[in-house]
Amino acid sequence: MNLDRVFENNKAWIKGKLEVQDDYFEELGKGQNPELLYIGCSDSRVTAEELMGAQLGEVFVHRNIANMVISIDLNVMSVVNYAVDHLKVNHIVVCGHYACGGVKAAMQSADLGILNPWLRNIRDVYRIHRNELNQIADEEKKYDRLVELNVKEQCVNLIKTAAVQKAYRDRGLKVHGWVFDVHTGKLIDLKIDFEKYLHDIMEIYHLD
Ligand SMILES: [Zn+2]
């Protein structure tokens, strides 16, 4: 990528937008009203809007290494609370992806410095599901499955929050788990049974 071209690209992009709609930026400047919060990986191959075909203003986005929802991470928790309580999104998606470097790193035992406490949360996902994972002999399949289980556990972490539980009760907000297959470009809905998890979790984490 040639950084000198960035501003030229930007000019061309503005021109393209104005050709389709001459008040595009006036409208954009009025504010946002996204329906969806997307929590994905920082990986350069999984840009939220592009893989969904979404336009500016349609998706509120948070990305970090391995799409984690960690209760003591002020960053992700601020995003969730702002999106749910103020922007009033009705859907939250956790989107993982196959060939995720963060998940791969968590599968290996190595000292990665500041990344250790972050990756430990993925290692905890492995520990919770080790009976299933240890039965998978093929390392690639095990890796793919850990990506999926990590998405599931991050959805569970969302459902533990008061903001999500209240928004479900008040307006039927839903949490979805997806995986992007970088080998085919396909977006896969893991069809997480949100209501079942909510019901199970509320026995322990009921917050209102
Ligand atoms: Zn990743």
Side-chain angles (χ1 to χ4, degrees):
M1 188 178 181
N2 182 350
L3 285 187
D4 294 335
R5 295 259 305 273
V6 164
F7 295 94
E8 291 304 316
N9 292 345
N10 175 251
K11 274 185 206 157
W13 174 75
I14 293 169
K15 191 163 170 276
K17 288 289 182 196
L18 294 176
E19 274 167 13
V20 178
Q21 186 188 341
D22 57 9
D23 65 347
Y24 181 80
F25 292 101
E26 277 167 52
E27 288 300 315
L28 197 65
K30 286 180 183 167
Q32 60 170 338
N33 189 23
E35 267 280 299
L36 173 75
L37 165 61
Y38 170 101
I39 299 171
C41 184
S42 297
D43 191 296
S44 60
R45 297 166 295 180
V46 286
T47 61
E49 295 84 351
E50 187 162 340
L51 63 90
M52 288 189 278
Q55 300 302 313
L56 300 192
E58 289 184 337
V59 189
F60 201 64
V61 176
H62 180 77
R63 293 167 67 186
N64 62 35
I65 293 175
N67 39 271
M68 303 301 287
V69 179
I70 298 169
S71 66
I72 56 164
D73 175 13
L74 195 55
N75 192 347
V76 71
M77 284 300 145
S78 300
V79 168
V80 168
N81 275 271
Y82 184 70
V84 172
D85 291 345
H86 297 273
L87 296 173
K88 309 274 183 212
V89 298
N90 287 319
H91 300 274
I92 307 180
V93 168
V94 176
C95 186
H97 67 101
Y98 296 134
C100 180
V103 172
K104 184 91 180 171
M107 286 175 79
Q108 294 156 346
S109 29
D111 182 357
L112 294 164
I114 188 70
L115 277 172
N116 289 339
W118 191 260
L119 297 176
R120 210 200 62 189
N121 295 286
I122 311 172
R123 293 188 175 120
D124 286 344
V125 173
Y126 195 108
R127 181 175 52 77
I128 294 166
H129 296 279
R130 67 183 179 279
N131 289 341
E132 179 188 340
L133 289 163
N134 286 342
Q135 281 172 12
I136 305 172
D138 184 300
E139 278 299 308
E140 280 303 305
K141 289 204 175 84
K142 189 189 281 190
Y143 181 16
D144 288 351
R145 186 61 184 143
L146 183 56
V147 165
E148 295 167 2
L149 291 169
N150 185 48
V151 167
K152 187 180 114 180
E153 290 300 328
Q154 303 322 310
C155 289
V156 168
N157 286 341
L158 277 171
I159 299 166
K160 289 174 191 169
T161 65
V164 167
Q165 292 183 15
K166 283 186 188 132
Y168 169 75
R169 184 194 61 197
D170 296 347
R171 61 177 195 275
L173 172 137
K174 287 203 167 57
V175 173
H176 312 267
W178 297 351
V179 170
F180 178 67
D181 186 345
V182 292
H183 308 290
T184 62
K186 201 170 174 198
L187 200 51
I188 300 155
D189 185 350
L190 296 177
K191 297 200 166 44
I192 284 176
D193 191 343
F194 170 67
E195 309 217 344
K196 177 187 170 293
Y197 281 116
L198 188 75
H199 183 76
D200 290 351
I201 279 168
M202 280 177 115
E203 284 180 15
I204 305 167
Y205 299 93
H206 196 322
L207 293 175
D208 58 353

